[in-house]
Amino acid sequence: MAEEIFYWQALNRALDAELAADESVIVLGEDVGLYGGSYRVTEGLYAKYGEWRVRDTPISEGSFTGIGVGAALAGLRPVVEIMTINFALLAFDAIVNMAAKIPFMSGGQFPMPLVVRMPGGVAKQLAAQHSQRLEQMLMNVPGLRIAVPATPQDAWWQLRQAIRSDEPVVLLEHELLYFSKGPLDMALEAPPMHRAQIRRAGKQLTLVTWSRMVEISLRAAEKLAGKGIDVEVIDLRSLRPIDWERCVASLKKTHRLLIVEEDSHFAGAGAEVAAGLAERCLYELDAPPQRVAARETPIPYNATLEAESIPRVGDVIRAAERLCGV
Amino acid sequence: MEADRLKTMLRDMLLARAFEERAAQEYAEGNIAGFLHLYPGEEAVAVGVLRAAEPSDYVISTYREHVHALVRGIPPGEVMAELFGKRGGCSKGMGGSMHLFDRERRFMGGYAIVGETFPVATGIAYAIAMRDLPEVAICFFGDGAVNQGTFHESLNMAALWKLPVLFVCENNRYQIGTEIHRHSAVTEVYKRACAYQIPSKKVDGMDVLEVHAATLEALEQIRGGNGPQLLECETYRFRGHSMADPGSYRPQVEVKWFETNEDPLKIAIAETVTPYPDEEQIAAVGGDNIQRLRGHLHQEEVLTPDELETMRKAVAEEVEAAVRFAKESPEPDWEDARNALECNRQGEVLI
């Protein structure tokens, strides 16, 4: 039975379910315990599971993420919450040099059941240091898996799958999605963690996107339908690995590719999507792939400028029209 | 202390030195490449600490970790084969000199980014404490590592949550080429621990017995649930930082014997290799830890000169066998690499 709940609640239930199912699961991060999480994701878990399972840490991103790595090596299944991805820059050594490397460079001896959860993206006037996604920085790291849930249902599924996986997974959440609502059916069987999903079927243009841009893209697709352009919206759900097969199948039908991403254009995640699909099916395309992305600027504090920094519904519509020669 | 334990420790140290000297030779011959950080001069630390540990304790080490691995019981052949990058290596040729791992022996890795051992050890200790086990995470690091943020962050958390970690500083006075008084406002590393109320002690890292005794004491405290401890072992590396280090930054008195024993031919072959002094020269300089332990063993009459010779020969043969094993071990292929990368996939369907 599906119910309408917030994205943060879906994550909360996923953590609760896994903490209950397996005593080796622990949660650690800044204010995840007594406070209940900056975005309420860990609300109630400290009271239920105690301080050893739900651990408030000092502001030491580099070391508490590394502690997650060490704990994973010794048999725990840590879920590290980094308050925002902007702070994760301090933890990149633990994520990139440790979690992604240890299983490999030990010759395959060690499991790395580590989940690093963090929100990113442009929220509401948080200024340049709190408004990044940085997803492409992690995409380039073999040994990592990256999930980007856009809905409460996916948040529930993908967080649980990430916790159960013995490989390190980064879960990129979004600050503006936490308080968005959507249906959640906890009894539904999950698709594979990194499989893309068609959110809207269409025939004339394939729009590939993920995370918060899924919602923007769907709104644009509705308006485009009114203008006679039938858009297929694919939610990648994952940035490493990428489900190329479903994207290629869609392009064989539509022959046009539009990529919508919140991060900046240059060398962003969309560049990899465009290149990967061009390699696979360039001759299926009737027009060069196009990207709608953020401006090449740190995100300004000013509300108007901030809103104009990243793709809006109108930007997506205009790009789709151009691509279809309208 | 029982004679057997002393003999074991001397044998460890002889093996350590013979192994490292041979590794240098194999590097010069092109059988080992990359960065190779050798341990001569520091043997008393690894041996003294790890012979005080239990098999159930975890060891987390740096990129200068061959000897820690050997003392922990990883067969010399597997360590040498890893240096050679072969499939028979303890990390199957995927890690190399700086990344030795052995899960079964709880050798949790050599880490090549300075300061990484702190959070890894603290995380392992978290898992131990949460399960209330009588185990300890033994965390090695150099004097240079104490200037990384992870040192302070991890010590804070280890103390805050009373985690069973033994922090062992191998203070060889140089962070690569910068001497400690030029890289640290506080040159006595053990004093830094007081910022986190962690009991700490400075010991003579050239004296294996002193290191061993201090470690036993610290481990007992830690196992008693009293939280982390820190040991600073003052030591010295006889070689450069790595095989790529000509060592030009050290004062003349320190490097004198390097100069008098320089072999121009060897230098011509491998410009960066610094020769190692013979025993007489070490004795003239003083402070060599192997010499000191051997003297102690003679006094205690637990080892005759003949037995020492036998031990030397056995160690030499062991190193020879290790090199043979490494040479004969096959090269890993891409299937090995893929297996290492996907070792945790467990049949999971991703897409």
Side-chain angles (χ1 to χ4, degrees):
Chain A
M1 269 288 283
E3 52 182 322
E4 286 282 315
I5 66 166
F6 288 117
Y7 185 95
W8 72 262
Q9 287 174 305
L11 291 166
N12 180 268
R13 289 192 196 181
L15 287 173
D16 193 6
E18 294 306 312
L19 281 160
D22 184 348
E23 282 192 351
S24 62
V25 175
I26 62 166
V27 172
L28 67 161
E30 293 150 6
D31 283 329
V32 297
L34 199 57
Y35 186 95
S38 308
Y39 297 97
R40 302 179 68 180
V41 172
T42 53
E43 193 173 86
L45 302 177
Y46 181 77
K48 197 165 170 185
Y49 298 99
E51 65 175 357
W52 280 97
R53 305 279 309 280
V54 182
R55 177 61 78 176
D56 281 320
T57 66
I59 301 174
S60 306
E61 284 85 3
S63 284
F64 71 67
T65 310
I67 282 174
V69 170
L73 288 175
L76 298 186
R77 308 186 81 82
V79 183
V80 172
E81 174 177 307
I82 298 179
M83 200 177 277
T84 89
I85 194 169
N86 307 281
F87 310 163
L89 289 172
L90 293 164
F92 263 41
D93 188 59
I95 298 169
V96 177
N97 271 326
M98 299 185 201
K101 305 282 192 290
I102 292 169
F104 178 77
M105 67 187 188
S106 67
Q109 293 182 66
F110 287 93
M112 188 51 66
L114 174 75
V115 181
V116 182
R117 294 181 38 240
M118 48 201 175
V122 175
K124 288 190 173 130
Q125 288 189 272
L126 301 182
Q129 287 191 331
H130 279 72
S131 301
Q132 304 170 90
R133 278 199 72 75
L134 308 175
E135 52 207 8
Q136 76 291 351
M137 289 190 181
L138 291 165
M139 283 172 70
N140 198 231
V141 181
L144 282 186
R145 288 164 51 181
I146 306 169
V148 279
T151 65
Q153 186 72 54
D154 275 344
W156 158 256
W157 276 335
Q158 289 180 300
L159 178 51
R160 295 189 68 200
Q161 288 169 320
I163 293 171
R164 289 181 179 221
S165 169
D166 279 344
E167 298 188 315
V169 178
V170 173
L171 206 70
L172 285 179
E173 300 162 7
H174 196 293
E175 286 164 47
L176 288 187
L177 287 178
Y178 284 129
F179 295 93
S180 69
K181 269 194 169 175
L184 172 67
D185 183 344
M186 296 204 292
L188 265 187
E189 199 186 326
M193 186 172 167
H194 300 274
R195 180 180 290 176
Q197 192 169 338
I198 295 171
R199 297 285 180 202
R200 184 190 195 281
K203 294 193 183 70
Q204 284 168 278
L205 181 149
T206 298
L207 191 160
V208 177
T209 189
W210 56 94
S211 192
R212 184 177 166 246
M213 287 295 125
V214 171
E215 183 214 331
I216 304 291
S217 299
L218 286 171
R219 275 161 50 198
E222 283 311 310
K223 292 198 171 161
L224 285 161
K227 297 179 173 200
I229 298 175
D230 189 17
V231 178
E232 178 146 301
V233 177
I234 295 182
D235 174 4
L236 282 181
R237 299 176 71 244
S238 165
L239 290 174
R240 187 182 181 101
I242 284 176
D243 182 355
W244 300 112
E245 209 177 298
R246 277 170 183 76
C247 296
V248 169
S250 173
L251 287 172
K252 283 184 175 168
K253 186 171 65 174
T254 66
H255 309 291
R256 284 187 175 82
L257 173 60
L258 180 65
I259 298 155
V260 180
E261 61 184 319
E262 187 177 314
D263 222 339
S264 55
H265 191 267
F266 186 82
E272 177 58 31
V273 175
L277 289 173
E279 282 172 341
R280 284 166 178 81
C281 61
L282 181 67
Y283 296 117
E284 289 288 341
L285 299 183
D286 289 345
Q290 296 294 313
R291 287 175 286 160
V292 181
R295 283 172 185 256
E296 294 298 323
T297 169
I299 302 298
Y301 168 71
N302 175 273
T304 308
L305 295 180
E306 179 191 58
E308 289 171 2
S309 300
I310 58 169
R312 291 162 298 171
V313 175
D315 301 322
V316 178
I317 291 170
R318 273 190 296 282
E321 285 175 338
R322 271 200 307 278
L323 195 50
C324 293
V326 179
Chain B
M1 187 186 296
E2 69 273 30
D4 283 352
R5 171 83 50 112
L6 287 175
K7 280 190 215 173
T8 302
M9 294 204 293
L10 178 62
R11 195 183 189 287
D12 284 343
M13 291 169 78
L14 290 172
L15 175 66
R17 186 154 300 179
F19 184 97
E20 294 290 69
E21 285 174 351
R22 186 58 184 267
Q25 193 184 323
E26 295 299 324
Y27 184 91
E29 284 174 21
N31 291 322
I32 299 172
F35 292 129
L36 184 70
H37 309 87
L38 300 176
Y39 204 63
E42 305 186 32
E43 293 90 345
V45 183
V47 175
V49 169
L50 293 178
R51 283 295 170 189
E54 296 294 329
S56 55
D57 293 333
Y58 294 85
V59 180
I60 304 93
S61 192
T62 68
Y63 47 82
R64 196 185 303 283
E65 90 285 34
H66 310 158
V67 174
H68 305 85
L70 292 172
V71 180
R72 196 59 182 168
I74 304 181
E78 289 183 26
V79 178
M80 193 63 87
E82 192 57 40
L83 270 47
F84 276 54
K86 297 295 192 71
R87 187 189 280 161
C90 59
S91 302
K92 299 197 175 75
M94 299 300 147
S97 160
M98 301 185 283
H99 305 298
L100 305 175
F101 286 85
D102 188 329
R103 190 178 182 186
E104 197 186 318
R105 293 180 176 85
R106 300 201 160 178
F107 195 80
M108 309 305 279
Y111 292 86
I113 309 293
V114 172
E116 280 184 339
T117 63
F118 304 117
V120 172
T122 305
I124 290 170
Y126 191 93
I128 296 169
M130 183 177 139
R131 291 165 165 166
D132 205 15
L133 296 168
E135 300 162 354
V136 176
I138 299 172
C139 174
F140 288 97
F141 58 99
D143 51 285
V146 303
N147 299 317
Q148 286 282 32
T150 50
F151 173 79
H152 303 276
E153 295 177 352
S154 296
L155 261 68
N156 178 48
M157 286 185 267
L160 183 66
W161 304 326
K162 284 199 181 325
L163 302 181
V165 196
L166 175 60
F167 294 103
V168 181
C169 179
E170 302 183 305
N171 180 358
N172 64 23
R173 294 173 43 199
Y174 286 86
Q175 60 163 45
I176 304 189
T178 306
E179 202 172 1
I180 189 161
H181 67 85
R182 294 176 61 234
H183 76 62
S184 181
V186 178
T187 54
E188 290 177 295
V189 169
Y190 79 101
K191 287 184 177 169
R192 290 195 181 213
C194 77
Y196 306 102
Q197 296 187 329
I198 292 176
S200 64
K201 192 174 176 181
K202 178 157 76 172
V203 298
D204 179 357
M206 295 309 217
D207 186 339
V208 73
L209 298 178
E210 191 177 328
V211 174
H212 188 260
T215 307
L216 282 174
E217 201 182 303
L219 288 175
E220 197 188 332
Q221 284 296 316
I222 296 167
R223 283 190 228 284
N226 300 308
Q229 302 249 334
L230 186 145
L231 270 189
E232 175 187 1
C233 304
E234 286 191 307
T235 183
Y236 195 80
R237 64 173 149 74
F238 292 154
R239 288 182 166 271
H241 170 71
S242 74
M243 295 299 282
D245 171 15
S248 55
Y249 46 82
R250 299 208 270 201
Q252 283 302 306
V253 283
E254 284 180 31
V255 297
K256 210 169 92 188
W257 51 263
F258 281 105
E259 292 174 344
T260 48
N261 292 284
E262 239 174 13
D263 179 347
L265 226 158
K266 260 191 179 170
I267 289 170
I269 296 166
E271 264 181 57
T272 58
V273 179
T274 41
Y276 183 75
D278 63 33
E279 301 230 350
E280 218 170 273
Q281 290 153 343
I282 294 172
V285 174
D288 176 64
N289 50 50
I290 291 182
Q291 292 277 6
R292 206 178 291 188
L293 177 61
R294 205 168 58 212
H296 186 85
L297 292 180
H298 282 314
Q299 278 166 25
E300 303 262 317
E301 292 186 328
V302 292
L303 200 70
T304 65
D306 282 353
E307 285 171 329
L308 176 64
E309 259 330 286
T310 309
M311 196 184 265
R312 276 190 185 288
K313 277 186 188 144
V315 159
E317 278 164 25
E318 207 175 335
V319 171
E320 195 57 49
V323 172
R324 213 164 38 240
F325 177 84
K327 283 185 174 160
E328 284 166 9
S329 176
E331 301 277 345
D333 57 24
W334 277 108
E335 200 185 328
D336 296 314
R338 193 174 56 88
N339 288 340
L341 183 62
E342 297 183 0
C343 63
N344 296 314
R345 189 62 51 92
Q346 318 284 14
E348 204 183 335
V349 177
L350 300 194
I351 291 177

